[in-house]
Amino acid sequence: MTIEALEEEVRRLRQELAEAHTLIAKLQAELERLRADPPPRIKPNTAKPKEKTERKERRKRAKEENGARPRETPTQIVQHTIQECPDCHYPLSRRLLASPRQVIELPPPQPVEVTEHQIFKSWCARCGKWHYAPLDLSGQVVGQGRKGRIGGRIASLIAYLRTTLRLPIRQIREYLQTMHNLLISTGEIVELLHRICETKPVKEAAEAVRERVRESRIVHGDETGWREAGQNGYVWCFCTPQGERYYEYDKSRAGAVAKRILGSQFKGAPVTDFYAAYNGIPCEHQRCWAHLLRDLHKLKEECPKDEEVLGWAKQVHALYDKSQQLLRAAHTGGSEHAPPTHEQLEALYIELVESARELGLRYAQAKEHKSHPCHTLCKRLLLHLDGLFQFVLQPGLSADNNLAERSIRPLVVMRKVSGGSQSPKGSATRMALASLFATWRAKGLNPFNECLFLLSQPLVPSI
């Protein structure tokens, strides 16, 4: 190769190198831009935790906490003994228990028991007719007539899997076939759930939950969307601190639904969010501070550089913190930690309401304030002044509606799994079972055993 060809090759390589450097610089600039402002579909990197410079001394466990794993009650005991020395084969004596070791295992899956009741008939020559042997299976099967072939334990298990564990119907069918060698159709499972809710003890238990909610002094309420046969509706949830959980489906989200569920004689204190449907309940409300503080946080995110907005939001948040501090101080103060009197609580309540009124009037009334970012929340404060600090006056009343939010969450997950219900009968069944099973769980009861107890009640003939 000549010198001229080599020089031409060097020039070509230098040109390609320069182009590569230019492309690399461009890509590096694009990478830095993406790191600074990632696209919405990419989550930003979280800050790495700071490395611990000093290792804290481990806290010593308390004496009551310094125990081994709790042992289960053994169903059978197998003793392992040794008779002679493994080294010299001399007989051993003084046998003592060195250490127990438990092995936990499930018994083999049991197939279902099928009991055939053979009903005989006999002929009466005097009467001239057949007489059948009496058979009463109430409390043993769910349903009447030939349709009632499923026992209470299987029905309770299906209701538990469907309601508490939120399993789809086809998975329940597969479980019964796999574990218990029971093959029943999806339609029979659906019909069985309907028959469970049609039994008199289950109906009365669901109605009793609603009545206990109506009679409760404190009731938390919330609602969420639900679809019935492809049409949008709503599930209303009302629950109490004592563990009652009541759900009801309605196509409407109007305030008349809440008044109908709670009843005309309701005299308790409802804890709700700021939805206007609860305004018609003729009681002293407690509005949820968690919703208000969440909206304050959203307001600060929308106006991050507006010092006026940030200052107002900070004052509202400080008012809530002040109410909590004053309430704790009132309950722990006094002579020998005596609880505060009603007059002291009323004075604290009036002080907090007046402070909230001043914050609400700041940007609510003047015409020039209608476009102010704080205008909407100021009007909310003025509209619900009486419902912001009821928890100060009434012992046991919560300042937030988290109880109802947590109680309605299983229905939200159920809706996401199943998409809702396909008929009014299906909605009624889902709500009745949800009310009973959620109430049993909230009270620390075994839902399976409680459902089996209701289905095992014999039918009392009407007189």
Side-chain angles (χ1 to χ4, degrees):
M1 185 177 288
T2 61
I3 295 177
E4 291 79 4
L6 291 174
E7 291 176 350
E8 181 65 26
E9 182 70 15
V10 170
R11 282 194 297 269
R12 185 181 63 80
L13 293 174
R14 286 178 177 175
Q15 183 179 359
E16 292 180 356
L17 182 61
E19 293 175 354
H21 281 300
T22 304
L23 180 60
I24 291 173
K26 183 179 179 181
L27 293 175
Q28 287 179 342
E30 181 68 16
L31 180 60
E32 293 297 330
R33 185 186 68 80
L34 291 176
R35 285 176 177 174
D37 186 19
R41 65 179 182 276
I42 299 178
K43 294 183 179 180
N45 293 330
T46 56
K48 293 183 178 180
K50 296 181 179 180
E51 296 183 0
K52 296 180 180 179
T53 54
E54 297 181 0
R55 187 173 182 178
K56 293 184 180 180
E57 186 177 353
R58 182 179 176 181
R59 181 183 69 88
K60 243 185 175 181
R61 289 183 180 178
K63 186 177 181 180
E64 58 272 10
E65 298 176 357
N66 195 20
R69 182 186 294 114
R71 296 186 178 276
E72 305 292 335
T73 303
T75 56
Q76 62 176 341
I77 296 176
V78 178
Q79 295 183 346
H80 300 269
T81 60
I82 183 171
Q83 303 297 331
E84 60 180 21
C85 175
D87 297 330
C88 64
H89 303 288
Y90 190 80
L92 299 178
S93 61
R94 298 178 59 190
R95 187 180 66 176
L96 299 175
L97 178 63
S99 63
R101 178 176 176 179
Q102 290 190 342
V103 177
I104 303 175
E105 182 58 284
L106 286 172
Q110 297 296 318
V112 295
E113 296 180 354
V114 180
T115 303
E116 181 178 281
H117 295 269
Q118 297 180 348
I119 306 170
F120 288 89
K121 63 180 182 179
S122 300
W123 175 259
C124 177
R126 175 179 296 181
C127 298
K129 60 181 179 180
W130 290 96
H131 292 276
Y132 293 82
L135 176 65
D136 183 13
L137 295 179
S138 62
Q140 300 182 37
V141 298
V142 179
Q144 299 296 323
R146 294 187 176 275
K147 291 184 178 179
R149 72 185 189 111
I150 302 297
R153 290 190 183 89
I154 297 178
S156 301
L157 175 62
I158 291 176
Y160 173 75
L161 295 175
R162 180 62 170 163
T163 306
T164 302
L165 301 187
R166 301 186 289 271
L167 288 183
I169 297 294
R170 295 185 183 278
Q171 290 189 7
I172 296 176
R173 179 176 182 268
E174 181 180 351
Y175 168 80
L176 294 175
Q177 183 179 5
T178 303
M179 301 301 295
H180 303 290
N181 198 23
L182 174 62
L183 180 59
I184 57 178
S185 66
T186 56
E188 186 173 2
I189 293 176
V190 173
E191 185 62 28
L192 177 64
L193 294 172
H194 293 329
R195 290 203 299 267
I196 290 174
C197 294
E198 290 171 356
T199 57
K200 186 177 179 181
V202 174
K203 276 185 178 180
E204 293 177 348
E207 292 173 358
V209 172
R210 182 186 60 190
E211 293 303 319
R212 288 195 294 268
V213 168
R214 290 177 173 180
E215 296 170 359
S216 178
R217 187 177 67 87
I218 299 174
V219 175
H220 292 248
D222 198 10
E223 76 289 331
T224 188
W226 186 270
R227 289 177 66 83
E228 179 185 282
Q231 302 298 314
N232 292 327
Y234 302 93
V235 171
W236 293 78
C237 168
F238 292 95
C239 51
T240 69
Q242 291 75 29
E244 310 299 333
R245 304 288 186 266
Y246 181 73
Y247 306 95
E248 187 168 321
Y249 170 82
D250 199 285
K251 294 181 179 179
S252 174
R253 203 186 177 199
V257 181
K259 295 175 67 176
R260 174 180 58 79
I261 295 176
L262 293 178
S264 58
Q265 303 299 323
F266 178 70
K267 302 297 181 183
V271 184
T272 65
D273 54 21
F274 294 90
Y275 181 44
Y278 302 105
N279 295 347
I281 303 176
C283 302
E284 296 294 341
H285 286 63
Q286 171 59 52
R287 301 293 178 168
C288 179
W289 268 94
H291 284 78
L292 182 57
L293 296 178
R294 193 180 305 137
D295 291 337
L296 286 174
H297 181 71
K298 184 179 179 180
L299 178 64
K300 291 189 291 185
E301 287 183 339
E302 293 174 351
C303 307
K305 298 182 180 180
D306 194 329
E307 295 297 333
E308 188 178 16
V309 173
L310 296 178
W312 182 85
K314 186 176 180 181
Q315 288 179 328
V316 177
H317 199 299
L319 182 62
Y320 170 73
D321 293 337
K322 178 183 177 182
S323 68
Q324 296 292 330
Q325 293 172 2
L326 291 177
L327 191 61
R328 284 194 296 267
H331 282 285
T332 57
S335 59
E336 297 181 358
H337 302 287
T341 63
H342 184 70
E343 290 75 15
Q344 292 174 332
L345 293 177
E346 280 191 344
L348 176 59
Y349 172 80
I350 294 173
E351 176 187 351
L352 294 170
V353 169
E354 289 302 320
S355 300
R357 186 192 304 275
E358 294 177 3
L359 291 172
L361 291 173
R362 189 174 300 179
Y363 304 109
Q365 292 183 330
K367 291 184 179 180
E368 60 271 13
H369 290 153
K370 289 187 176 180
S371 60
H372 196 278
C374 301
H375 176 72
T376 302
L377 291 183
C378 284
K379 290 181 64 177
R380 184 186 296 181
L381 290 180
L382 295 178
L383 181 63
H384 301 288
L385 275 177
D386 294 337
L388 292 177
F389 301 103
Q390 286 295 322
F391 66 92
V392 176
L393 292 177
Q394 304 189 39
L397 201 61
S398 175
D400 55 64
N401 197 28
N402 291 340
L403 178 61
E405 297 281 347
R406 293 192 300 267
S407 299
I408 208 170
R409 180 62 185 170
L411 271 295
V412 176
V413 178
M414 193 182 297
R415 180 192 67 207
K416 293 179 180 295
V417 172
S418 63
S421 50
Q422 302 301 320
S423 65
K425 189 176 181 180
S427 299
T429 298
R430 298 298 290 270
M431 297 306 112
L433 291 178
S435 300
L436 292 175
F437 279 78
T439 298
W440 292 329
R441 291 188 67 195
K443 292 184 175 182
L445 303 174
N446 187 314
F448 174 82
N449 291 338
E450 295 299 320
C451 184
L452 179 59
F453 174 76
L454 291 180
L455 297 179
S456 301
Q457 300 299 312
L459 295 179
V460 180
S462 60
I463 300 175

